[in-house]
Structures are given as C-alpha cells and as structure tokens.
Amino acid sequence: MRFAVAMSGGVDSLRTAAILKALGHQVMGVSMRIQPESSSGRWCAASLHARREADLARLAQWLSIPLMWVDLRRDFDERVLKPFEETYRLGLTPNPCVLCNPLVKFGALLDHSREMGAERFATGHYARIDPPDDSSTRFRLRRAIDPAKDQSYFLYGLTQAQLAASCFPLGESLKRDVVTWSQHIPVAGLLSGESQEICFIPDGDYHGFLAERAGKTRYEMAGPIVDQEGRVLGEHKGISAYTIGQRRGLGIASTAPFYVVAIDAASNTVRVGRAEDLRRGEIEVGAVNWVSVEAPLEPLSAQVRIRNQHRPAPALVIPLDTGRVTVRFDEPQRAVTPGQAAVFYDQDVVLGGGIIQSYD
C-alpha cells in the first residue's frame, strides 16, 4: 500500500517509516510546518528550523523515501494556538496535543497526504487500533503494550474515519527496543532528542509565549494569592504561570507546603491550600468524544485518567442530557485540573474522553 508517515525528526517516526518500508509498502514522509512566528525568535528561529528540516531530509534520504513538507501554520494557529491562549485566559490549563491530533495531524495533514496519493496514514504514536470484528462494528483505540510509553490518552479525540485511515506500527513495540534499533543506524546523530515539552514551546516557558502573543498586560497582570478562607498570603505574577497542584514558585513562607487548588480568572486570583485540599471526588467533563463505543445512554463503569501520567482510577461515568458526563470516582483524586483531558478506559480500550470543566 501507499503510506504517508508523519515524520518529526525523532526516532519513533523514523522507526515507523522503516518498519513499513521493510514490509514492502510504498512510503513517503510528510512533515508539518506549524511553528508560529515570534518577534524575539525564541520559538521559531530561522536557523533552528532550517537545521531541523535539513536533518529530516537526510533521514528520509537514508531511508530512500520522498519527504513532503505541508504548511499548516494557519490551521495550527486557528485550531490549536488560539484555543490554547483562550484556555489560559480563562484560568484553565490546556492540553494542546488533544486538539492537534484530531484537527491538525489526523485532520489537515491526513487530508493533504491523501491528496498526494497516500492510501493510509501512519504515525509514531505508541497505541493500537483494532478493526471491526464479530464483537464490534467500530474501530477500537487501545493502549500500547508498553505501559510506560502508551500515548492513547492523547488520541481519544480521533473519529472512526480517522482510525480507519491510520495505523500505529509502534503499538506492539517497547520503547527500549526502538531506542536500541536507533543506536545501530548510521544516521543516529541526526535524530532529534525526546522532548518533554510541547512542540511549539521547546523551552517550556508558556507564560512568556502567551505574553509575547497577546501582550504582557493580559498574561502578566499581578493579583492576589489567597488561602481557603480568602486571606491574602502573597501576590502572583499572572494566572497563566500557575496550574492546579503547583507547589513551587508561590513565594509563601509557611511551615507546611501550600499548593495551588483553584484559579479564578474573573477576579485574577490564585487560591492555595494544603495537600488534602487538592482531592476531588467528582468532575464534569465536556466536549466528549466516544471513540471506540457508541455514546452510552446509561452510566457505565470505567477507569478514568485525568492526565497522561495519572494511573487510571475506577469511576462511574454518568451521561448528562447536555452531552457532557459526570465522572464520580470511587476514591477522590489529587489535583484535578480544569482544561485537561479526562479519558475513559475499559481495560486497554479507550472508550472516549473529553475536557474537564469543573469539579466537586
């Protein structure tokens, strides 16, 4: 078959392309241009991108596959960066990957790949897809076999059509085996390192990125830090610099640690409390996508993950008339963060997920 492989310059996408080529498929690499313009050059220095593109071209040449660049900066700005900015403005903590995957990578990039003749679309995600069978008429998204690397959390927003067009060759692989493979290839020195930050802010300075895009007055306006009783304990440097569960950088002298427990954008206030104040037993989730099953009409039991590194916790997922769901945990969970994704699992099958709106 004719495959388009989304290539980033990292080991996972290179290994994905190599696997498909070894299986006899026709493979082409596709890569997105998404980096926003920056007046300071901190996030999109021309020399940095030129070097990245040159390295990726040499990786594709080593595999003897064509490489196509797709300019998706406008799509990325409208569908990812502007919602990212607005979410922080509302005092929430966004996860841009859960927007980028269905709207840009498996949306616009997949569409462009088809226009270039690709029959299937592959990425280096660690996840699995099961086709319809006697037990289900739907494609099912599943966790990868490597629990430490599983990326199914970020993919809950995919549609059935996107799953049908896609494959994840690394879903059956262990990350350590992929790394070992990369250590024995002649182009290992061209591979980009494993990033721990989101792709468009490589230095991790979200606060500075937002201030540059929208103006410092919006994102660097100081305000009060208050305790659970409303007493002012200090001053924050702008609500976008804080997230639920944060302990460091509060500047509050205390014999016991304080944590951020709530952010009120309307009053420009950061509320802090003790560790026990972080635990929540119930959340409301909106923008829900049911990926592997039809939308349920009755409550169902699931394991729910409230951030990527969170161990899924048993809960009851209760559909609401609004299309949202209430998630009622068996045991209260720590640092529930509005704006982040809550993803529902049945063992290793991703049932669906959505965005945390509020909690009790």
Side-chain angles (χ1 to χ4, degrees), residues 127-143 160 163-164 168 291-293 348-351:
R128 293 179 286 176
I129 301 171
D130 282 349
D133 57 22
D134 293 340
S135 64
S136 175
T137 61
R138 296 174 68 90
F139 287 84
R140 284 159 293 176
L141 177 64
R142 296 170 60 206
R143 294 182 191 175
Q160 283 288 295
L163 289 178
F168 306 127
V291 57
S292 298
V293 297
D348 68 350
V349 175
V350 180
L351 302 175

Side-chain angles (χ1 to χ4, degrees), residues 62 177-188 191:
W62 174 73
D177 294 336
V178 174
V179 172
T180 298
W181 170 82
S182 72
Q183 293 169 343
H184 296 88
I185 60 176
V187 290
L191 294 169

Side-chain angles (χ1 to χ4, degrees), residues 81-101:
L81 293 184
K82 287 182 178 177
F84 177 83
E85 179 183 329
E86 176 66 9
T87 301
Y88 266 118
R89 189 185 67 80
L90 295 173
L92 309 175
T93 303
N95 188 323
C97 294
V98 303
L99 289 178
C100 180
N101 281 324

Side-chain angles (χ1 to χ4, degrees), residues 295-313:
L297 301 177
E298 301 292 334
L300 58 84
S301 296
Q303 298 86 46
V304 179
R305 179 178 282 174
I306 57 173
R307 52 187 168 272
N308 184 45
Q309 297 302 318
H310 175 246
R311 178 178 295 178

Side-chain angles (χ1 to χ4, degrees), residues 3-21:
F3 272 88
V5 176
M7 298 188 69
S8 63
V11 61
D12 295 328
S13 57
L14 185 69
R15 180 59 176 152
T16 295
I19 289 172
L20 292 172
K21 189 163 188 279

Side-chain angles (χ1 to χ4, degrees), residues 173-199:
S173 299
L174 298 176
K175 176 68 176 185
R176 66 171 180 264
D177 294 336
V178 174
V179 172
T180 298
W181 170 82
S182 72
Q183 293 169 343
H184 296 88
I185 60 176
V187 290
L190 299 176
L191 294 169
S192 58
E194 197 86 0
S195 174
Q196 301 302 314
E197 302 294 344
I198 57 177
C199 63

Side-chain angles (χ1 to χ4, degrees), residues 4 63 107 154 176 215 314:
L63 278 177
F154 300 106
R176 66 171 180 264

